Amino acid sequence: MKKFISVIFWMRAISCLGVVLTHSISITLGQNPNLEKNEWPTYVQIFLMFSTPTFVFITEFLNAYIYGGKLKKGFFKKRLLILGVPYIFVNLFWTFSYHSPTNLMEFIDAFLLVSIRGYSVTYFIVIIFQFYILHLLFGTILNKVKPLPMIIGSIIITSIYWGVRLIFPAPDNFMGSIIWGKEGQTLFFGWITYFLLGYYIGIYYDSFTAKIREYKYHILGLFITSIIIVLLTHNLGINSAIGSKRLDTPLYTTSVILMFFLINSYIKYVPKFILFISNYSFSIYLLHLIFLNRMTVLSDNIFEDIVYKFIITIVIAICLTYIMNLSTFGKYLVGNIVKTEHKSLN
């Protein structure tokens, strides 16, 4: 039987909180147009851009760690229930709440816009299902290929993918409209680094963790280098957009993930708060923007406004998830609460 991996709870909780904080800052900045670019909230967002990539990395890591190269029978049926049904339900909410369709065609267009075309926060589930398909198709093949060249190559490819979308104008054809459009942000090409990183760390977890301290200076060097690159690309105006779809994100996120594992090799304890957030993380991620988008200015102080939005959003999402999960079918609407207990983990 596979054991609990404490770093995953840390990664899941911090990534989830990072996503909510990033969006809380965005809402506050949008309500305060006098704030100039490159003030401190922007830098917080930039260095939290690992959050969504790390969240989807966890999915593939666990699949590889638990199942190896082959997914078990019934895998997709279970995921369609616990991920697919909440995905549809929340997208239906987004469709009617934000687009107010008046006929069937408007409903179909709006639903496709928020569910398939990436115009809602649920796009991360689209990426996760692409990871499932990639694992099914290539899991056994990847097991025969050396990890390091694949991961380095994927970082280059993923960075080029985001860089091409940034630097070159979109071709006037169907592929151009897809890749350069919002849909291009959900295609696996831009996320393949986190799939391969998750797959190989999961497959070789025991040997990876046994040797990670031998490479601590390499990992620290990579982490510091990636931070310098992020600062340069942002301050020089090469890539000033905020989010996880930047040309410097693959390298930066890879270094952050390796740092998580390196720190975990020294500290394995998981506090109750981190475990609690981890258990609710899927629902918090799924629901938080519904509440954030309806918040007005809560304080004239920028820092306080961000903190208020951040805390209130998390509390409401957790309370709603808890109430909905009291029903048998609630978990299929807003996501399931993981039942990992603190005493069994530590």
Side-chain angles (χ1 to χ4, degrees), residues 21-280:
L21 181 56
T22 298
H23 290 153
S24 298
I25 292 172
S26 294
I27 299 296
T28 295
L29 295 182
Q31 295 168 345
N32 294 271
N34 293 328
L35 281 177
E36 295 182 4
K37 176 187 171 184
N38 288 350
E39 294 195 21
W40 69 264
T42 301
Y43 284 102
V44 174
Q45 288 180 300
I46 291 171
F47 289 113
L48 286 175
M49 65 184 178
F50 68 85
S51 300
T52 296
T54 301
F55 205 80
V56 297
F57 157 85
I58 293 169
T59 297
E60 180 52 29
F61 168 81
L62 291 176
N63 287 341
Y65 176 71
I66 296 170
Y67 306 119
K70 294 183 179 180
L71 300 176
K72 68 176 182 179
K73 185 179 180 181
F75 176 90
F76 279 94
K77 180 180 178 181
K78 182 178 180 180
R79 269 62 185 182
L80 285 171
L81 284 174
I82 63 175
L83 293 181
V85 177
Y87 167 78
I88 293 172
F89 175 76
V90 171
N91 280 327
L92 284 172
F93 174 85
W94 279 87
T95 299
F96 287 105
S97 179
Y98 293 93
H99 297 277
S100 304
T102 58
N103 55 58
L104 180 61
M105 288 307 300
E106 287 184 2
F107 165 76
I108 293 173
D109 287 342
F111 184 76
L112 291 176
L113 193 72
V114 299
S115 60
I116 304 298
R117 299 182 62 191
Y119 282 82
S120 81
V121 73
T122 58
Y123 79 91
F124 78 97
I125 300 179
V126 177
I127 297 166
I128 287 174
F129 272 99
Q130 289 180 81
F131 280 12
Y132 293 158
I133 295 171
L134 289 172
H135 193 116
L136 178 69
L137 295 176
F138 303 108
T140 54
I141 298 173
L142 289 173
N143 213 358
K144 303 173 184 177
V145 183
K146 291 183 178 180
L148 193 58
M150 291 292 289
I151 292 172
I152 293 174
S154 73
I155 292 173
I156 295 171
I157 291 171
T158 306
S159 300
I160 290 174
Y161 178 79
W162 296 123
V164 166
R165 293 175 80 255
L166 172 72
I167 297 169
F168 298 99
D172 188 17
N173 53 43
F174 176 74
M175 287 303 297
S177 64
I178 293 294
I179 294 177
W180 270 260
K182 195 78 170 177
E183 298 85 350
Q185 298 183 5
T186 64
L187 295 177
F188 70 89
F189 299 111
W191 304 84
I192 195 70
T193 295
Y194 320 119
F195 169 79
L196 290 172
L197 199 63
Y199 177 86
Y200 282 119
I201 294 179
I203 288 287
Y204 299 112
Y205 177 74
D206 291 331
S207 58
F208 171 77
T209 53
K211 295 181 178 180
I212 191 168
R213 291 191 191 182
E214 297 177 16
Y215 299 94
K216 59 184 176 183
Y217 295 116
H218 299 79
I219 294 172
L220 284 169
L222 179 66
F223 180 62
I224 294 170
T225 301
S226 67
I227 288 176
I228 293 171
I229 292 173
V230 169
L231 289 171
L232 288 174
T233 55
H234 180 75
N235 291 331
L236 294 176
I238 298 171
N239 198 166
S240 57
I242 305 299
S244 53
K245 302 87 174 175
R246 293 166 52 104
L247 59 84
D248 50 12
T249 309
L251 182 64
Y252 174 62
T253 300
T254 298
S255 72
V256 171
I257 290 171
L258 293 176
M259 282 296 296
F260 268 115
F261 282 102
L262 178 61
I263 294 170
N264 184 72
S265 70
Y266 294 96
I267 304 171
K268 298 186 182 298
Y269 181 74
V270 180
K272 289 184 178 180
F273 174 75
I274 293 296
L275 178 61
F276 179 77
I277 295 297
S278 175
N279 287 344
Y280 280 88

Side-chain angles (χ1 to χ4, degrees), residues 13-25 27-28 48 273 277 284 288 291-292 295 298 303-318:
I14 292 175
S15 297
C16 171
L17 295 176
V19 169
V20 179
L21 181 56
T22 298
H23 290 153
S24 298
I25 292 172
I27 299 296
T28 295
L48 286 175
F273 174 75
I277 295 297
I284 293 172
H288 74 279
F291 312 121
L292 267 177
M295 289 187 186
L298 302 179
F303 176 77
E304 291 179 357
D305 190 64
I306 292 169
V307 172
Y308 291 156
K309 284 180 169 65
F310 174 69
I311 294 175
I312 292 171
T313 298
I314 292 171
V315 170
I316 294 175
I318 289 173

